Amino acid sequence: MAPVTNTCRANREKDVTKKQITFRADRPQQNRRPASVTQGKTNDNAQVHFRALLDSSPSHKEELLRRTRHYLLKTQNISSSDSFGFNVDVSDTIPVLRQLPDTRPDDCKKTGYNMSTLPTVTIVSPMYNEALSTLLRHVHSLLARTPKELLKQIIIVDDKSEHSFLDKRLDDYFKILDSRVRVMRSNHRQGLSRSRMKGASVAEGEVIVFLDSHMEVNVGWLEPLLEQLVNGGPATVVQPDVVSVDAKTLNFSEEKETTFVGGFGWDLRYSWFFKPDYLQQVLRTMADPIPTPVLVGCAIAVWREHFMSTGGFDPELQVWGGEHLELSFKTWMTGGRILTVPCSKVGHVFKSGPFRFQEDFQNILRKNLMRVAEVWMDDYKEIFLATQRYEAIMPEFTVSDLDSITERKRLRQRLRSKSFRWFLKVITPDMKIPTKDAVNYGEIENALTHSCITVTSGGVLTLSFRCFRHRILPENQFTIDKYGQFLHDGKCIVPTTGKLILRETLCSCNARKEGEWQLNPGPLGGHIQFGIAKKLMYCVVPQQLDGMMVLTLERCSLVHDRDDSYWEFQYHLQYSQDDRHLGFITT
């Protein structure tokens, strides 16, 4: 396809419409010569006209943008969804600016904002090997749905991507699209925290909004975030209500209510908690901002000056993982607040598949989390470490690592941080804390049905599908301790006489004489076994009884080959043998 020239501009202007820009419409007719045949020439000639066209009429710019998108798509040459963790083929057929369902609560739609009282914003979005269509929708949605007078910059920080379609031609596309869009490039992989800090270092806006590069903002997304920052003061951190964009269909979730708050499990994995009752009582409408213990991490708005003066993101956190926890702990424990703003809806493509990095990513993630725990969790770091020692190789820490951790601890002291015990008591009072004697702890999932053990109001153990690995329900937390006790909320689980139905009851002094519990590991988790001196072993199995699913004991020899006799505890705790002292291994 020949490049745009002065002689053909007039004719092309007549054909340019104001329709939504779509990838499908950008694809060439079959009787046209594919752009890939003349890639070099097309690119070289287009470069000649880029600067001249910056001041051209909107129709000229739109045509050049269309041609550049088409060219980049042709060079993308990647259609496998496995490459990106979502269905990129579907994504490529969707407009770069599409209509989205307005899922804001009705009260949000009635709210007006005085733009003159709101601060200016820089948006920082790191990317690494991002799919072209999601990246462009990210930028186009920001430009279209962010008030022009508030938007200072959009900074895309490229963490040394390898795909050719993300090269200098993409920079040229953004220059033509809007001069406020800038691409910063790293010479080597920096990871999420450093990439965000790289963008933050040149931010001109009073507020920085950190967004993943595969997100789309919805109508009215920014104003309510800024209003809460203005009302809350410099130490306030806010996040939008992040809604899911389906990885297969790219459809937006249309749920209106914000049902969960962010939290964490004792392995420091991000987890969702249902909004606690005490919050339900104080929130007047669905539009009210919701205090949340932990940030989801993909969308964060902060006051730039305060954020930078309090250490920003820890630059020693490698690749990604742990940065949202560190900022959350630091914010709450040093006098700030974190709010989820239901009136701000931002869609996020939750990708699947492994994260690619030149080193062992699980080892990097574990090291990041150990670092966060050492700096911010005080003695409670031992619970996290106990979750990691079970069948895991603990990462090594160099002298340089330890020095940087010490410096981060000094930062915490300068910020006059409260204790982690205060955080648990005040910010996450409904979070259950395992005892030091716990060997297996947390949610217990059935290998066959993927339902979880819970307790009825009458104290009988049953199964519930109201459970999920990334959702923590305090009522579903169980313990098998080193003394052989099976516990729930301080009460003992015992079999009733006769039918051996399991129920909870007050612990007796003779409980161990009646039998001991253990988790016997197996291929699908393990058998929860009960026996006296391990001679006669019974296994926990679900059974339908009188129209109700209950948990009973059966001879292990009779049920060992049944999938529904296997269970998986959320955590296997293994404390160190040196009085739980954290000893990083130095090299």
Side-chain angles (χ1 to χ4, degrees):
M1 183 187 300
V4 177
T5 64
N6 291 333
T7 56
C8 65
R9 282 182 186 168
N11 291 332
R12 291 188 181 230
E13 278 184 12
K14 298 177 182 178
D15 298 328
V16 175
T17 68
K18 294 184 178 180
K19 294 179 180 178
Q20 287 186 326
I21 306 168
T22 68
F23 285 100
R24 179 176 295 167
D26 290 344
R27 300 197 182 280
Q29 302 288 337
Q30 290 186 354
N31 60 348
R32 293 182 180 179
R33 184 170 51 176
S36 58
V37 175
T38 57
Q39 284 181 4
K41 183 177 179 182
T42 301
N43 189 42
D44 293 341
N45 290 337
Q47 292 288 343
V48 175
H49 297 284
F50 275 137
R51 290 198 173 276
L53 285 170
L54 289 178
D55 298 321
S56 300
S57 67
S59 60
H60 289 150
K61 293 181 181 181
E62 185 176 341
E63 171 66 7
L64 184 56
L65 290 172
R66 186 196 67 79
R67 286 168 49 78
T68 306
R69 279 197 309 277
H70 164 61
Y71 177 71
L72 292 174
L73 276 169
K74 292 293 292 184
T75 60
Q76 178 171 275
N77 196 28
I78 297 176
S79 60
S80 170
S81 297
D82 293 338
S83 300
F84 296 101
F86 66 96
N87 195 331
V88 71
D89 297 321
V90 169
S91 179
D92 285 356
T93 67
I94 297 174
V96 292
L97 183 59
R98 58 170 168 170
Q99 289 188 339
L100 300 174
D102 187 351
T103 58
R104 293 175 298 169
D106 291 337
D107 290 326
C108 300
K109 302 172 185 178
K110 305 172 186 176
T111 304
Y113 300 94
N114 184 349
M115 296 298 175
S116 65
T117 65
L118 299 180
T120 58
V121 170
T122 291
I123 297 163
V124 175
S125 295
M127 73 163 179
Y128 172 69
N129 284 353
E130 187 62 67
L132 181 64
S133 51
T134 47
L135 176 62
L136 293 187
R137 270 199 305 279
H138 173 66
V139 174
H140 276 272
S141 70
L142 287 171
L143 291 173
R145 300 187 178 110
T146 304
K148 189 172 183 179
E149 61 269 37
L150 300 180
L151 180 60
K152 278 279 189 179
Q153 303 156 288
I154 298 173
I155 300 176
I156 307 296
V157 185
D158 179 26
D159 195 17
K160 198 170 175 54
S161 295
E162 299 160 343
H163 297 321
S164 61
F165 57 84
L166 298 176
D167 64 10
K168 180 65 166 55
R169 292 162 296 185
L170 182 66
D171 302 18
D172 293 329
Y173 179 91
F174 287 141
K175 287 178 183 177
I176 299 167
L177 178 65
D178 194 296
S179 61
R180 293 171 296 175
V181 183
R182 173 185 176 185
V183 180
M184 298 181 69
R185 298 190 182 276
S186 300
N187 295 325
H188 58 277
R189 292 294 303 277
Q190 296 280 344
L192 182 62
S193 289
R194 290 179 182 174
S195 293
R196 282 177 167 176
M197 293 304 292
K198 184 183 179 88
S201 68
V202 297
E204 299 174 1
E206 299 163 274
V207 166
I208 303 175
V209 181
F210 298 101
L211 296 176
D212 284 359
S213 56
H214 39 273
M215 305 186 79
E216 283 176 81
V217 300
N218 212 335
V219 59
W221 76 280
L222 181 62
E223 297 93 312
L225 293 178
L226 298 183
E227 182 181 63
Q228 293 305 319
L229 286 175
V230 170
N231 293 340
T236 301
V237 177
V238 299
Q239 64 180 10
D241 182 20
V242 177
V243 300
S244 175
V245 177
D246 190 275
K248 294 181 179 179
T249 65
L250 276 295
N251 290 335
F252 259 63
S253 170
E254 298 196 22
E255 292 184 8
K256 287 190 175 182
E257 184 175 2
T258 307
T259 309
F260 300 97
V261 296
F264 64 95
W266 285 107
D267 56 357
L268 293 188
R269 178 171 23 184
Y270 182 85
S271 298
W272 298 102
F273 286 72
F274 282 104
K275 276 190 300 188
D277 291 339
Y278 60 84
L279 275 183
Q280 300 280 20
Q281 295 171 4
V282 299
L283 297 176
R284 296 167 301 170
T285 71
M286 289 173 58
D288 287 350
I290 304 167
T292 186
V294 175
L295 293 156
V296 68
C298 57
I300 303 169
V302 297
W303 288 100
R304 175 179 53 81
E305 185 174 343
H306 181 79
F307 174 75
M308 300 299 281
S309 68
T310 54
F313 292 110
D314 184 350
E316 297 305 315
L317 295 174
Q318 304 297 312
V319 193
W320 68 262
E323 67 286 331
H324 61 305
L325 288 167
E326 200 232 14
L327 181 59
S328 300
F329 296 159
K330 179 171 64 173
T331 298
W332 282 113
M333 293 164 62
T334 60
R337 298 182 74 208
I338 299 175
L339 300 173
T340 299
V341 183
C343 290
S344 174
K345 300 289 186 181
V346 177
H348 182 272
V349 181
F350 288 94
K351 300 180 179 181
S352 60
F355 189 88
R356 293 177 177 85
F357 196 67
Q358 60 264 36
E359 300 176 33
D360 179 2
F361 175 65
Q362 288 303 319
N363 185 69
I364 291 172
L365 177 58
R366 186 171 288 112
K367 189 172 182 178
N368 282 355
L369 296 178
M370 288 177 69
R371 182 182 180 89
V372 172
E374 174 65 12
V375 174
W376 294 100
M377 292 180 67
D378 303 327
D379 290 343
Y380 292 92
K381 68 193 175 190
E382 291 299 339
I383 303 176
F384 162 71
L385 292 170
T387 69
Q388 302 299 298
R389 294 190 181 100
Y390 183 79
E391 294 184 351
I393 299 175
M394 301 300 277
E396 296 183 352
F397 284 75
T398 65
V399 172
S400 177
D401 290 330
L402 298 178
D403 288 343
S404 64
I405 288 174
T406 299
E407 182 54 40
R408 210 66 184 172
K409 287 183 175 181
R410 292 195 185 107
L411 170 68
R412 180 183 172 185
Q413 291 176 342
R414 291 196 297 271
L415 296 176
R416 299 181 179 180
S417 167
K418 296 182 176 67
S419 68
F420 197 74
R421 181 181 181 184
W422 173 89
F423 178 87
L424 293 173
K425 182 179 180 179
V426 176
I427 307 304
T428 59
D430 52 342
M431 185 169 179
K432 301 294 184 181
I433 303 172
T435 66
K436 294 181 179 180
D437 300 324
V439 176
N440 302 287
Y441 179 76
E443 191 175 81
I444 308 174
E445 181 182 344
N446 186 268
L448 179 63
T449 64
H450 301 292
S451 55
C452 298
I453 298 179
T454 190
V455 180
T456 68
S457 58
V460 176
L461 267 63
T462 184
L463 293 178
S464 170
F465 285 97
R466 196 170 181 252
C467 60
F468 187 63
R469 284 189 174 275
H470 297 292
R471 181 188 303 165
I472 290 183
L473 303 178
E475 62 269 26
N476 286 4
Q477 307 296 294
F478 293 84
T479 299
I480 292 181
D481 66 16
K482 65 182 181 181
Y483 303 112
Q485 297 183 105
F486 189 10
L487 303 163
H488 175 259
D489 208 18
K491 295 181 180 179
C492 282
I493 306 299
V494 297
T496 58
T497 56
K499 294 182 180 180
L500 298 181
I501 298 173
L502 299 185
R503 64 181 304 126
E504 68 173 13
T505 186
L506 294 176
C507 297
S508 69
C509 298
N510 298 321
R512 292 184 64 188
K513 295 181 181 179
E514 297 170 358
E516 295 184 13
W517 295 90
Q518 68 176 15
L519 179 69
N520 186 32
L524 300 174
H527 285 122
I528 300 177
Q529 296 181 332
F530 178 78
I532 300 175
K534 300 183 181 180
K535 293 180 180 179
L536 184 61
M537 300 305 296
Y538 290 87
C539 287
V540 176
V541 292
Q543 179 180 339
Q544 195 76 24
L545 190 64
D546 297 331
M548 177 182 177
M549 182 64 71
V550 296
L551 298 187
T552 66
L553 293 178
E554 298 280 354
R555 293 277 186 93
C556 291
S557 59
L558 300 177
V559 299
H560 72 277
D561 59 346
R562 285 172 46 181
D563 287 352
D564 66 351
S565 70
Y566 285 93
W567 307 88
E568 177 63 58
F569 263 90
Q570 193 170 14
Y571 308 119
H572 306 284
L573 304 178
Q574 181 178 327
Y575 290 96
S576 63
Q577 297 180 357
D578 58 352
D579 196 26
R580 302 177 176 82
H581 172 69
L582 175 62
F584 289 128
I585 303 172
T586 60
T587 56

